[in-house]
Amino acid sequence: MAVERKFIEEGARKARVEKYLTKELKRAGYGGMDIARTPLGTQVTIYAEKPGIVIGKGGKLVHQLTQDLAQNFGVESPQIEVQQVNNPSFNAQIMAERLANALERGWYFRKAGSSIMRRVMESGALGCEVVIAGKLTGARARTQKFTEGYIKHCGEPSNTIVEKGYAVAIKKLGVIGVQVKLVPGGAKLPDHFSIIEQETKRPSKAPVAPVSDMDSEEPALPDENLGDEQ
């Protein structure tokens, strides 16, 4: 039972750290994080659209994040590494935050959802799904879904090739939840295959015998002096 409890505690700690970083690094375009255990401690990799904001002036903010992870969340010897997101349109968390910000600014939910989905697909993604749930138009909650392209919902591909992002938009009528799923371009799909055409061998031609030098010589002409002597 101790092993199961350890896995549960690790998952709960990761969820709390994820929630904390999402709140603290909202202005930096937070795009997710990875936690890995190393012999020297715990390696925390933060993906952000603006790494300079995460690091802060003179490394002040990243130092504060390191102290908070160690003291408030019990992360053993955290070592934070910040990486920039090269293509934000392929990061589901960043796109979910942008969609939530658009809803908070007063965008109509259909326009905001279709705009995010169109931007993801124009960037070269294989598929995108946007789900907006909450009090969208009135007092009764509802769910609106926008889908385009190829999306896997079950099995191993849904965990390996599908990027997921979640965000919350706070409005006067209530809270609106946002979920973005996308399959980035270049992902290897399990049901994709290609047919290799078999090369047909051409019949080999019979070798042509080379013409010898003797055959190519011209016939000798009769000697004119021989007729005169006779």
Side-chain angles (χ1 to χ4, degrees), residues 144-160:
Q144 184 69 36
K145 182 184 295 186
F146 307 88
T147 307
E148 185 176 351
Y150 180 94
I151 289 290
K152 292 292 289 185
H153 296 279
C154 61
E156 184 180 359
S158 64
N159 298 325
T160 56

PDB file of all heavy atoms in Angstrom, residues 144-160:
ATOM      1  N   GLN A 144     -20.360  23.970 -25.726  1.00  0.00           N
ATOM      2  CA  GLN A 144     -20.185  24.181 -27.166  1.00  0.00           C
ATOM      3  C   GLN A 144     -18.855  23.582 -27.587  1.00  0.00           C
ATOM      4  O   GLN A 144     -17.829  23.826 -26.947  1.00  0.00           O
ATOM      5  CB  GLN A 144     -20.225  25.672 -27.504  1.00  0.00           C
ATOM      6  CG  GLN A 144     -20.151  25.969 -28.988  1.00  0.00           C
ATOM      7  CD  GLN A 144     -21.403  25.540 -29.730  1.00  0.00           C
ATOM      8  OE1 GLN A 144     -22.506  25.641 -29.193  1.00  0.00           O
ATOM      9  NE2 GLN A 144     -21.241  25.048 -30.936  1.00  0.00           N
ATOM     10  N   LYS A 145     -18.884  22.793 -28.662  1.00  0.00           N
ATOM     11  CA  LYS A 145     -17.681  22.102 -29.128  1.00  0.00           C
ATOM     12  C   LYS A 145     -17.393  22.499 -30.572  1.00  0.00           C
ATOM     13  O   LYS A 145     -18.296  22.562 -31.404  1.00  0.00           O
ATOM     14  CB  LYS A 145     -17.862  20.589 -29.029  1.00  0.00           C
ATOM     15  CG  LYS A 145     -16.636  19.783 -29.452  1.00  0.00           C
ATOM     16  CD  LYS A 145     -16.915  18.284 -29.428  1.00  0.00           C
ATOM     17  CE  LYS A 145     -17.185  17.798 -28.026  1.00  0.00           C
ATOM     18  NZ  LYS A 145     -17.321  16.311 -27.996  1.00  0.00           N
ATOM     19  N   PHE A 146     -16.113  22.739 -30.849  1.00  0.00           N
ATOM     20  CA  PHE A 146     -15.635  23.041 -32.200  1.00  0.00           C
ATOM     21  C   PHE A 146     -14.574  21.999 -32.546  1.00  0.00           C
ATOM     22  O   PHE A 146     -13.606  21.829 -31.797  1.00  0.00           O
ATOM     23  CB  PHE A 146     -15.028  24.445 -32.282  1.00  0.00           C
ATOM     24  CG  PHE A 146     -15.924  25.539 -31.772  1.00  0.00           C
ATOM     25  CD1 PHE A 146     -15.920  25.884 -30.430  1.00  0.00           C
ATOM     26  CD2 PHE A 146     -16.774  26.214 -32.631  1.00  0.00           C
ATOM     27  CE1 PHE A 146     -16.733  26.894 -29.955  1.00  0.00           C
ATOM     28  CE2 PHE A 146     -17.597  27.227 -32.165  1.00  0.00           C
ATOM     29  CZ  PHE A 146     -17.579  27.564 -30.824  1.00  0.00           C
ATOM     30  N   THR A 147     -14.741  21.324 -33.668  1.00  0.00           N
ATOM     31  CA  THR A 147     -13.823  20.252 -34.047  1.00  0.00           C
ATOM     32  C   THR A 147     -13.475  20.375 -35.520  1.00  0.00           C
ATOM     33  O   THR A 147     -14.335  20.681 -36.348  1.00  0.00           O
ATOM     34  CB  THR A 147     -14.444  18.869 -33.785  1.00  0.00           C
ATOM     35  OG1 THR A 147     -14.886  18.795 -32.432  1.00  0.00           O
ATOM     36  CG2 THR A 147     -13.420  17.765 -34.023  1.00  0.00           C
ATOM     37  N   GLU A 148     -12.215  20.126 -35.814  1.00  0.00           N
ATOM     38  CA  GLU A 148     -11.751  20.105 -37.198  1.00  0.00           C
ATOM     39  C   GLU A 148     -10.513  19.227 -37.281  1.00  0.00           C
ATOM     40  O   GLU A 148      -9.643  19.273 -36.401  1.00  0.00           O
ATOM     41  CB  GLU A 148     -11.425  21.518 -37.696  1.00  0.00           C
ATOM     42  CG  GLU A 148     -11.038  21.572 -39.175  1.00  0.00           C
ATOM     43  CD  GLU A 148     -10.824  22.986 -39.669  1.00  0.00           C
ATOM     44  OE1 GLU A 148     -11.141  23.929 -38.917  1.00  0.00           O
ATOM     45  OE2 GLU A 148     -10.332  23.147 -40.803  1.00  0.00           O
ATOM     46  N   GLY A 149     -10.444  18.410 -38.324  1.00  0.00           N
ATOM     47  CA  GLY A 149      -9.271  17.572 -38.533  1.00  0.00           C
ATOM     48  C   GLY A 149      -9.351  16.259 -37.770  1.00  0.00           C
ATOM     49  O   GLY A 149     -10.424  15.703 -37.532  1.00  0.00           O
ATOM     50  N   TYR A 150      -8.198  15.763 -37.374  1.00  0.00           N
ATOM     51  CA  TYR A 150      -8.037  14.421 -36.793  1.00  0.00           C
ATOM     52  C   TYR A 150      -7.734  14.552 -35.305  1.00  0.00           C
ATOM     53  O   TYR A 150      -6.767  15.209 -34.919  1.00  0.00           O
ATOM     54  CB  TYR A 150      -6.893  13.701 -37.513  1.00  0.00           C
ATOM     55  CG  TYR A 150      -6.598  12.307 -37.020  1.00  0.00           C
ATOM     56  CD1 TYR A 150      -7.178  11.195 -37.624  1.00  0.00           C
ATOM     57  CD2 TYR A 150      -5.728  12.097 -35.960  1.00  0.00           C
ATOM     58  CE1 TYR A 150      -6.900   9.918 -37.182  1.00  0.00           C
ATOM     59  CE2 TYR A 150      -5.447  10.822 -35.508  1.00  0.00           C
ATOM     60  CZ  TYR A 150      -6.032   9.738 -36.125  1.00  0.00           C
ATOM     61  OH  TYR A 150      -5.755   8.474 -35.673  1.00  0.00           O
ATOM     62  N   ILE A 151      -8.569  13.934 -34.457  1.00  0.00           N
ATOM     63  CA  ILE A 151      -8.374  13.944 -33.006  1.00  0.00           C
ATOM     64  C   ILE A 151      -8.653  12.539 -32.471  1.00  0.00           C
ATOM     65  O   ILE A 151      -9.663  11.924 -32.820  1.00  0.00           O
ATOM     66  CB  ILE A 151      -9.301  14.962 -32.310  1.00  0.00           C
ATOM     67  CG1 ILE A 151      -8.861  16.384 -32.612  1.00  0.00           C
ATOM     68  CG2 ILE A 151      -9.299  14.758 -30.801  1.00  0.00           C
ATOM     69  CD1 ILE A 151      -7.564  16.795 -31.952  1.00  0.00           C
ATOM     70  N   LYS A 152      -7.746  12.035 -31.625  1.00  0.00           N
ATOM     71  CA  LYS A 152      -7.942  10.743 -30.971  1.00  0.00           C
ATOM     72  C   LYS A 152      -8.440  10.980 -29.551  1.00  0.00           C
ATOM     73  O   LYS A 152      -7.916  11.813 -28.818  1.00  0.00           O
ATOM     74  CB  LYS A 152      -6.631   9.957 -30.927  1.00  0.00           C
ATOM     75  CG  LYS A 152      -6.136   9.505 -32.286  1.00  0.00           C
ATOM     76  CD  LYS A 152      -7.030   8.459 -32.903  1.00  0.00           C
ATOM     77  CE  LYS A 152      -6.906   7.135 -32.182  1.00  0.00           C
ATOM     78  NZ  LYS A 152      -7.691   6.064 -32.840  1.00  0.00           N
ATOM     79  N   HIS A 153      -9.470  10.207 -29.152  1.00  0.00           N
ATOM     80  CA  HIS A 153     -10.081  10.377 -27.835  1.00  0.00           C
ATOM     81  C   HIS A 153      -9.810   9.210 -26.890  1.00  0.00           C
ATOM     82  O   HIS A 153     -10.176   9.289 -25.713  1.00  0.00           O
ATOM     83  CB  HIS A 153     -11.597  10.553 -27.985  1.00  0.00           C
ATOM     84  CG  HIS A 153     -11.977  11.798 -28.725  1.00  0.00           C
ATOM     85  ND1 HIS A 153     -12.021  13.044 -28.140  1.00  0.00           N
ATOM     86  CD2 HIS A 153     -12.309  11.988 -30.031  1.00  0.00           C
ATOM     87  CE1 HIS A 153     -12.375  13.949 -29.029  1.00  0.00           C
ATOM     88  NE2 HIS A 153     -12.557  13.339 -30.186  1.00  0.00           N
ATOM     89  N   CYS A 154      -9.222   8.131 -27.362  1.00  0.00           N
ATOM     90  CA  CYS A 154      -8.998   6.980 -26.498  1.00  0.00           C
ATOM     91  C   CYS A 154      -7.731   6.261 -26.947  1.00  0.00           C
ATOM     92  O   CYS A 154      -7.192   6.519 -28.025  1.00  0.00           O
ATOM     93  CB  CYS A 154     -10.198   6.024 -26.530  1.00  0.00           C
ATOM     94  SG  CYS A 154     -10.541   5.339 -28.162  1.00  0.00           S
ATOM     95  N   GLY A 155      -7.278   5.348 -26.101  1.00  0.00           N
ATOM     96  CA  GLY A 155      -6.099   4.567 -26.426  1.00  0.00           C
ATOM     97  C   GLY A 155      -4.808   5.314 -26.147  1.00  0.00           C
ATOM     98  O   GLY A 155      -4.789   6.447 -25.644  1.00  0.00           O
ATOM     99  N   GLU A 156      -3.710   4.675 -26.486  1.00  0.00           N
ATOM    100  CA  GLU A 156      -2.393   5.270 -26.254  1.00  0.00           C
ATOM    101  C   GLU A 156      -2.160   6.543 -27.062  1.00  0.00           C
ATOM    102  O   GLU A 156      -1.543   7.486 -26.550  1.00  0.00           O
ATOM    103  CB  GLU A 156      -1.309   4.238 -26.570  1.00  0.00           C
ATOM    104  CG  GLU A 156       0.101   4.728 -26.276  1.00  0.00           C
ATOM    105  CD  GLU A 156       1.147   3.690 -26.591  1.00  0.00           C
ATOM    106  OE1 GLU A 156       0.760   2.581 -27.027  1.00  0.00           O
ATOM    107  OE2 GLU A 156       2.338   3.974 -26.415  1.00  0.00           O
ATOM    108  N   PRO A 157      -2.623   6.644 -28.330  1.00  0.00           N
ATOM    109  CA  PRO A 157      -2.389   7.894 -29.074  1.00  0.00           C
ATOM    110  C   PRO A 157      -2.985   9.122 -28.406  1.00  0.00           C
ATOM    111  O   PRO A 157      -2.457  10.223 -28.553  1.00  0.00           O
ATOM    112  CB  PRO A 157      -3.050   7.623 -30.434  1.00  0.00           C
ATOM    113  CG  PRO A 157      -3.029   6.141 -30.576  1.00  0.00           C
ATOM    114  CD  PRO A 157      -3.221   5.607 -29.191  1.00  0.00           C
ATOM    115  N   SER A 158      -4.089   8.960 -27.661  1.00  0.00           N
ATOM    116  CA  SER A 158      -4.680  10.120 -26.995  1.00  0.00           C
ATOM    117  C   SER A 158      -3.781  10.671 -25.894  1.00  0.00           C
ATOM    118  O   SER A 158      -3.933  11.834 -25.496  1.00  0.00           O
ATOM    119  CB  SER A 158      -6.041   9.742 -26.402  1.00  0.00           C
ATOM    120  OG  SER A 158      -5.887   8.766 -25.379  1.00  0.00           O
ATOM    121  N   ASN A 159      -2.843   9.860 -25.400  1.00  0.00           N
ATOM    122  CA  ASN A 159      -1.917  10.315 -24.362  1.00  0.00           C
ATOM    123  C   ASN A 159      -0.553  10.701 -24.909  1.00  0.00           C
ATOM    124  O   ASN A 159       0.198  11.411 -24.229  1.00  0.00           O
ATOM    125  CB  ASN A 159      -1.733   9.222 -23.303  1.00  0.00           C
ATOM    126  CG  ASN A 159      -3.021   8.883 -22.580  1.00  0.00           C
ATOM    127  OD1 ASN A 159      -3.853   9.747 -22.332  1.00  0.00           O
ATOM    128  ND2 ASN A 159      -3.199   7.610 -22.245  1.00  0.00           N
ATOM    129  N   THR A 160      -0.214  10.234 -26.109  1.00  0.00           N
ATOM    130  CA  THR A 160       1.130  10.459 -26.636  1.00  0.00           C
ATOM    131  C   THR A 160       1.187  11.563 -27.688  1.00  0.00           C
ATOM    132  O   THR A 160       2.128  12.362 -27.691  1.00  0.00           O
ATOM    133  CB  THR A 160       1.684   9.154 -27.231  1.00  0.00           C
ATOM    134  OG1 THR A 160       0.768   8.662 -28.221  1.00  0.00           O
ATOM    135  CG2 THR A 160       1.868   8.105 -26.142  1.00  0.00           C
TER     136      THR A 160
END
